[in-house]
Each structure stands twice: as structure tokens, then as C-alpha cells.
Amino acid sequence: MLAYDASADSLVECLRLGESAIIESMRRFVHSVVDVFGDEYLRSPNDEDTARLLATNERRGFPGMMGSIDCSLNDIDVLHWSHLLDDLAAGEAPKVQYSINGHHYTMGYYLADDIYSEWATFVKPIPSPVGRKQQHFVLQQAAARKDVERAFGVLQSRFPIVKGATRLWDGTPLAPS
């Protein structure tokens, strides 16, 4: 199901298992992955992660940037399951200290596309950049966001399941409970 983005009923003959056994195996697999890797990869950034992200992005010319949000697939559905979005919606973001053009800020930000909500933590592209400074910023912002798009492109080319949300045959999302 994961490798070929196939439904359980389409794998019955190939696997010589019943549809319910395939679905149950998938549920157990997903829960096992969450159990094994969840503490490391499904958690909010800790202080060490935050320091590393801030240092990396400052070297790239984006002081205070925590990262980019751009799944390039059904973004809102993907973010619906994200603890990051829950924290941002609650007005919680990693506390950071940085200054840009003489203005002091205390909250990290994420580069985002136009489809995202109007939150202080999302920095979206300037719709019609005027002047060299704004045009330069738009180019640099797009280049930084492209890193995330390229990473997903590699995953999508290797694993077709990454191209869309995984759903079981009954249409329910396959997400950990």
C-alpha cells in the first residue's frame, strides 16, 4: 500500500491476504513506526534543534527563520496533522532574539506560500516586489523554499504514496491516534 499507493482491495490477490488483514497490517505498521520514531521525529523542536535551525538559516541570510513550510502537495491536509501548526495556532513559537533593519523580534518565523493563514510566524512572498531590495528578498525567499520542494520531489519520485494523503479503503485518514 505504501510503496505503490494502492488500496487494500487491489492487493488481495497479490498478497493472498484478505482486505481486512491488509488494512490491519497497515494500521499496525503505522503505529509501530510512530512508536519507534515518534519521540525523535514527531516532536516539537527542542532547544538544540532550535539553535541549529536558527544558525543554519542565519548563515543563509534569514535571521530568526525556523524553516520553510511548503509541502507542495495538499498542504493544508498535511499541516492538519502537524503539532507545529497546533502550536502556531495557539500563538506559541520558539522564543528567539534577532533584529532586522533596526527592529527587534522575539518569535521565530517560517517561510510560506500564499495559501497559508495570515499569521505573524508565516512570512509570505511579496506579491509585487518594487525595487532591488524587495526583488532580491523575493528571489532569496523562493530559493530557500525550493529546498523543501526539492526534498519532497525526491521522496515523491521514490515513493508514490508521498504524492497524496494516504487513506484506507473506507476513506478514513491513516494517521496515528
Side-chain angles (χ1 to χ4, degrees):
M1 287 176 71
L2 289 174
Y4 298 107
D5 191 18
S7 61
D9 69 327
S10 70
L11 298 172
V12 169
E13 286 186 39
C14 172
L15 298 176
R16 298 179 191 254
L17 291 171
E19 183 179 338
S20 61
I22 294 170
I23 290 172
E24 182 59 24
S25 295
M26 177 61 79
R27 284 188 199 276
R28 288 180 184 206
F29 173 77
V30 169
H31 285 282
S32 296
V33 168
V34 171
D35 289 344
V36 172
F37 298 105
D39 290 345
E40 176 67 19
Y41 297 104
L42 298 177
R43 61 173 172 74
S44 296
N46 59 29
D47 291 341
E48 183 180 311
D49 296 331
T50 300
R52 180 180 43 79
L53 289 168
L54 289 169
T56 299
N57 290 320
E58 184 160 2
R59 282 192 303 272
R60 298 176 73 199
F62 291 95
M65 184 176 93
M66 294 299 300
S68 298
I69 296 179
D70 186 347
C71 299
S72 68
L73 48 129
N74 197 341
D75 301 78
I76 301 305
D77 282 348
V78 171
L79 284 176
H80 174 73
W81 297 105
S82 170
H83 299 293
L84 171 69
L85 188 62
D86 293 340
D87 293 344
L88 294 177
E92 299 171 14
K95 303 294 184 237
V96 299
Q97 303 286 327
Y98 62 98
S99 294
I100 298 177
N101 294 331
H103 297 344
H104 187 70
Y105 299 94
T106 59
M107 188 168 49
Y109 64 91
Y110 299 84
L111 298 181
D113 285 342
D114 289 329
I115 69 165
Y116 294 95
S117 301
E118 294 291 332
W119 293 349
T121 52
F122 290 160
V123 175
K124 299 180 183 186
I126 299 170
S128 301
V130 177
R132 289 180 46 192
K133 189 174 182 178
Q134 285 187 355
Q135 290 171 349
H136 177 72
F137 175 79
V138 167
L139 288 174
Q140 295 303 310
Q141 182 185 28
R145 283 190 7 256
K146 294 292 182 199
D147 292 348
V148 176
E149 289 179 18
R150 281 194 283 288
F152 271 100
V154 169
L155 288 172
Q156 287 173 343
S157 69
R158 178 68 176 96
F159 303 103
I161 194 69
V162 179
K163 289 181 182 171
T166 303
R167 299 192 180 276
L168 296 176
W169 183 247
D170 64 1
T172 58
L174 185 59
S177 56

